[in-house]
Every structure is written in structure tokens, then in C-alpha cells.
Amino acid sequence: MCDFPPANFTSANAYTVSTSGTWSTDIPHNMGYYPDLVIVQLKLPNNYISEAQGAVFIENYNDIYNKICGVIMAFDRNNVRLWSPKYIDGSDKFGVFCVSDGWASAAIDEFVFTYASIYVQAWIFDSSEIVFTQTDTRGSGINVSPTITMPKPFDIDTHLFLVRSQAVDGANANYVFEGAGSALSDGSAFFKKIGAAVYSYNPREVNIWYPGSEDYLLFVGGIWGYGSPTQASATASVSVKVIKTKATGSGFGCSLCTSDWNTLTTNCSTSQPNDIQNAHKCMLHNITIYTCMSGYQSNGAKGVVAYNGSYWEETDYNCTVPTSSTENYSTMGYSISFLEEMVHSLKKNLTFEMKNTSAYRRSLTCATDPRPSAAYVGVVGILILILTVVLFLCADLSRFVK
């Protein structure tokens, strides 16, 4: 958690999902905005962590071959909505998480969990951190390129690439479903209805795939939608967003960050530079200057250290009493008042008087306008002023004559 900014909304262990509970669960975040990033995690009974997803790759289970497991998630301006598969006939083929069939092994066989605790985190990033966004209407019969080219290469180590599909109709209109990183079905009749946008990316482009005319771009139904808001949309508003990430450490001035996932909280503190015996310590933002006290001299080591966002630089600087053998040793000793005067002098030399700028002088100078239309407007204005004065004078003269 310390590798990412603090979330704008968190919900830790306040909600649960299960195969025997409500058909859908709404978790209010009440931001009033669409979050730029939402992560929904499931804490399973064995204390393992799984995640909800925004895609459905199978509509219903087959009595012989497969199970249905997982939690579907979507969000809008005010809520995070979750769907989990439900027991219908007392079957054990449903779970909020499972590993079975071809995924299971001799060591991990038939993991099926029917309930989990929910942990939600949602972020709204500054506009300067969203370096790319593009939205298109996509779906069956709409001719849009599956490849979106970035304006420049983005480092995948420091950028998040997100693909979402927003419902434009149905019971979940305006809800946003996350795309998937891989397809878990081939769309054949065995899997029945499916609905998902699948994507991949590299630093230069994002590629998006979605089902054909027989399936949906967004689908919540079958075992996922009994009695809850279902969704079956052949088209949707699909967006690609690239976010520049920064860690709680260097990005937020923390030299020591500790976190507790169980409460979704982080604690951040900034360390102080080391004290050096017999030395003054002057801190100027992320720079610290060490100077020896009166009567002491330095060993000539580095006396200026910087804070890099995580820790202060190391230095061997020390101050000792001069001896006869070291009286001519080079020293640097500045008082605090001298340093403050030096900083004041730097500020003075780096500032300027606004009235001495060319922009200010131009604001006091009338610019000429050689256009004939400008001259006509000026002449008409002068004539109106003269006529107004003459009318007043004529009125006064008429009374004087009488």
C-alpha cells in the first residue's frame, strides 16, 4: 500500500459476499465522481486474497464439467456494485472463489469458497497524473480500430493502463465495468452467453477485443443475475486511460511508510537529518547545511546533505577542537544568522519589481490602430460628445435670452 497514494475512499471488512446472500451488493463511496481507479479485494476464509473483476465469461454451469465462481464488480459516481453466483438447487458448483477442474493440482485441489469479506479502495487522481484518455463507442457492427496508439511511449513500470466499458443502457446504465486481461472462454455454445472487453498493451499501444454479434460487450445474467439488476449490452462506451503513478514514499514526502491492509490505512512520517555533535544544523526545505560551532573545525567532509524523498544522504562530517597540528586545516564555519542573511540575499537577487517589466509598461501605453474603421469610430464618438455639450448650451442660452 505504501507503493501507491492514499485512497480517497476505503471500506475494510464492512461488507461480505456469498453464494447464499443477496443477489447484488451496493457499497456507497459517495464521491460524486467516477473514480479513476477502483480495486475490490476478497479476503477468503483461508486468509488468501482474491479480486473481483468486471467481465463474465460464462453464463451458467454445466452439471458435469464446470463450476461457476468469482465476483463481478462495477461502479458509478456513488456506488460500487458487486454480483456473486447463487445457489439455486443446493448445488456445490458455486463460489465466490474456486480452483478446480483444469486449474487444480494434486497440491491444491478443489478450492471452493462460498463467502468472503470485501475490501474496497478507490482513487481520484489529479488531472496532471492522467496522461492519456480516449473513449469510443464499441460493439457489434461498429467499425472502430481495435488498436489505440499512444501519443508517445509510456513506461509501463510507472504508468497504469486501464480499459473500461461503461453501460449506456439497461438496469446498470452509466455503471463502469473493468476490462479483462485474458479471455477465459472461446465464446462457444458450451459457455452460453458471455460479455467482456479483453485488452493487452505495450508502451506504444493498447489492443482491445470483444465478442461478436452472438454475444455481448457487457453481460450480467444467468447465475449472476437472478433477481438483481441484469445487463445485456451489445454496445458500450469503451475508454482507455493511462495514469502516471507515484508512491507514498517519494511522491508524498514520506521517509517511513507503514501500512495495515486489514484496515486499509497507511502511516507516513518524515525523518529528520542526523544531529552532529558540535555542529549547527540549518534545514532549508529538502537541504540541510551543517556548520561547526565557534571554537570547532570540520574535517572537510560534505557539509550539505539532501533528502531524496525517502531518506537523508549520509555524511562523515564532524567538528572537533583544533589542535596545534591541525590549526591550518581548512574550515567552513557559518553562523545561523549568516546563513539566514545569505538566503535573504539569494531571494532578493531572484526577485524582480513588477513595475520594471515590459508587460507592466505596455499595460500603460495606448497602442495605435491604423484601421480606418477605428478612426471612424473615434470621430463619431467625438461628434456625439460635442453635440451633447452644444445641446446643453443651447438650452441655457434660450433661457438667458428670455
Side-chain angles (χ1 to χ4, degrees):
M1 290 174 60
C2 288
D3 293 329
F4 218 64
N8 300 92
F9 168 80
T10 60
S11 174
N13 200 22
Y15 296 85
T16 60
V17 289
S18 73
T19 57
S20 59
T22 58
W23 296 108
S24 65
T25 301
D26 280 355
I27 301 175
H29 61 74
N30 294 325
M31 290 185 184
Y33 296 92
Y34 285 96
D36 294 306
L37 177 64
V38 178
I39 296 177
V40 178
Q41 295 174 295
L42 287 68
K43 186 175 184 180
L44 305 172
N46 65 350
N47 290 323
Y48 276 76
I49 308 301
S50 180
E51 287 194 12
Q53 64 182 31
V56 173
F57 290 102
I58 185 169
E59 178 187 10
N60 215 324
Y61 77 99
N62 183 296
D63 285 327
I64 300 174
Y65 298 106
N66 66 292
K67 294 178 171 61
I68 283 195
C69 303
V71 174
I72 308 303
M73 61 87 69
F75 60 89
D76 69 356
R77 294 176 180 271
N78 297 301
N79 296 291
V80 176
R81 181 167 290 173
L82 308 177
W83 294 265
S84 56
K86 299 300 173 186
Y87 281 111
I88 295 178
D89 53 8
S91 172
D92 62 350
K93 292 184 175 293
F94 307 95
V96 297
F97 175 86
C98 66
V99 177
S100 64
D101 298 330
W103 303 101
S105 66
I108 304 176
D109 188 30
E110 297 296 326
F111 263 171
V112 179
F113 295 109
T114 59
Y115 69 93
S117 301
I118 296 298
Y119 292 75
V120 181
Q121 298 177 83
W123 290 263
I124 296 177
F125 295 103
D126 186 82
S127 58
S128 62
E129 298 172 283
I130 301 174
V131 296
F132 177 82
T133 182
Q134 179 174 320
T135 302
D136 302 295
T137 300
R138 295 176 179 268
S140 177
I142 299 177
N143 185 19
V144 181
S145 173
T147 300
I148 296 177
T149 303
M150 300 295 103
K152 65 177 183 179
F154 293 118
D155 185 353
I156 60 176
D157 290 329
T158 57
H159 293 78
L160 287 177
F161 289 70
L162 302 175
V163 174
R164 280 102 169 253
S165 301
Q166 184 175 24
V168 296
D169 56 15
N172 300 284
N174 298 319
Y175 270 81
V176 176
F177 295 75
E178 299 283 355
S182 61
L184 301 182
S185 72
D186 60 3
S188 62
F190 175 85
F191 296 95
K192 302 184 179 179
K193 296 187 176 92
I194 62 173
V198 179
Y199 70 98
S200 66
Y201 60 88
N202 62 31
R204 298 179 179 275
E205 62 185 27
V206 175
N207 289 291
I208 305 174
W209 298 268
Y210 38 88
S213 59
E214 299 299 321
D215 289 298
Y216 302 97
L217 205 154
L218 292 175
F219 178 77
V220 179
I223 207 67
W224 309 95
Y226 285 100
S228 65
T230 60
Q231 190 73 33
S233 299
T235 61
S237 179
V238 180
S239 64
V240 174
K241 183 178 292 187
V242 181
I243 302 172
K244 182 173 177 58
T245 61
K246 56 185 181 181
T248 301
S250 60
F252 289 83
C254 292
S255 60
L256 178 63
C257 178
T258 58
S259 62
D260 183 356
W261 183 86
N262 290 301
T263 59
L264 295 181
T265 57
T266 56
N267 293 308
C268 169
S269 61
T270 302
S271 66
Q272 297 293 315
N274 293 330
D275 291 324
I276 296 177
Q277 189 175 8
N278 304 321
H280 295 294
K281 181 174 65 177
C282 179
M283 295 180 62
L284 304 172
H285 302 292
N286 63 338
I287 298 293
T288 294
I289 303 173
Y290 293 104
T291 58
C292 290
M293 296 179 181
S294 178
Y296 296 87
Q297 69 179 26
S298 77
N299 63 348
K302 182 169 62 175
V304 179
V305 296
Y307 179 65
N308 69 358
S310 298
Y311 55 85
W312 288 94
E313 292 179 315
E314 298 287 339
T315 180
D316 295 325
Y317 188 90
N318 65 60
C319 299
T320 57
V321 177
T323 63
S324 57
S325 61
T326 60
E327 285 182 353
N328 294 325
Y329 197 87
S330 64
T331 63
M332 286 184 61
Y334 299 110
S335 65
I336 297 298
S337 60
F338 175 80
L339 291 172
E340 290 176 346
E341 290 177 3
M342 185 168 62
V343 171
H344 177 73
S345 177
L346 288 172
K347 288 183 178 179
K348 184 177 180 181
N349 292 332
L350 292 173
T351 56
F352 55 89
E353 179 62 42
M354 289 295 296
K355 292 185 178 180
N356 292 333
T357 63
S358 60
Y360 178 81
R361 290 194 296 269
R362 287 196 302 270
S363 68
L364 302 177
T365 304
C366 294
T368 59
D369 191 341
R371 295 176 299 173
S373 59
Y376 298 153
V377 170
V379 171
V380 171
I382 293 172
L383 291 176
I384 291 174
L385 291 174
I386 293 173
L387 181 60
T388 302
V389 174
V390 170
L391 289 174
F392 279 109
L393 290 175
C394 289
D396 292 337
L397 286 173
S398 63
R399 287 197 298 270
F400 178 76
V401 171
K402 293 179 180 180

